[in-house]
Amino acid sequence: MRAVFGKLLTTALLLGFAGSVAPNPVAAADLGLMTSGRGGCSEIVFTCENGREYPLCPIAVSVVGEVVTASLFTSRRSSMHVRLVPMGVGYRYAGRGVWLDGFRGNALLNFGKHNQVACTIQSS
């Protein structure tokens, strides 16, 4: 119970701080990325060597333009929530049992420890 209350209090404080720092949060979040809901997202697509395409649909975008959280569609009807993990070089989007490591236009999509597919980014 204490842990839940502590997380709730921390979240409330961080949201209050973010609201007081950003003078116009709507303008800061609007960076031109269009998200059209489930299945209609086609801005960032990972085209992989296994012949499949995996769209990455942004949920939250930073002021700099980095996709912070997104849905990675692993099939037409199934998506996974992934989050950007800070890396020294490149990027990593990690979700439950899935992670995507990349640098610029190349990426490796990992489904668990022993299943890895090389991909390239196709963005519109």
Side-chain angles (χ1 to χ4, degrees):
M1 184 68 179
R2 272 189 186 157
V4 172
F5 180 72
K7 287 181 182 179
L8 180 66
L9 183 62
T10 303
T11 303
L13 287 172
L14 288 174
L15 286 174
F17 178 73
S20 66
V21 171
N24 192 355
V26 175
D30 185 16
L31 296 173
L33 287 176
M34 304 285 289
T35 57
S36 59
R38 192 175 174 127
C41 178
S42 63
E43 293 168 358
I44 304 169
V45 178
F46 291 93
T47 305
C48 299
E49 288 182 350
N50 62 358
R52 298 192 52 201
E53 293 182 343
Y54 300 95
L56 185 74
C57 302
I59 296 172
V61 180
S62 71
V63 177
V64 186
E66 297 173 328
V67 177
V68 179
T69 60
S71 294
L72 178 67
F73 281 83
T74 54
S75 70
R76 286 188 175 196
R77 296 183 182 166
S78 176
S79 67
M80 303 200 80
H81 182 80
V82 292
R83 176 174 287 271
L84 179 66
V85 177
M87 302 289 288
V89 175
Y91 54 88
R92 174 177 285 172
Y93 287 99
R96 189 170 290 202
V98 173
W99 65 97
L100 185 69
D101 290 329
F103 182 72
R104 296 187 182 155
N106 299 318
L108 290 173
L109 180 59
N110 297 283
F111 294 103
K113 290 183 178 180
H114 305 292
N115 192 1
Q116 187 177 58
V117 180
C119 304
T120 57
I121 298 177
Q122 304 295 322
S123 59
S124 57

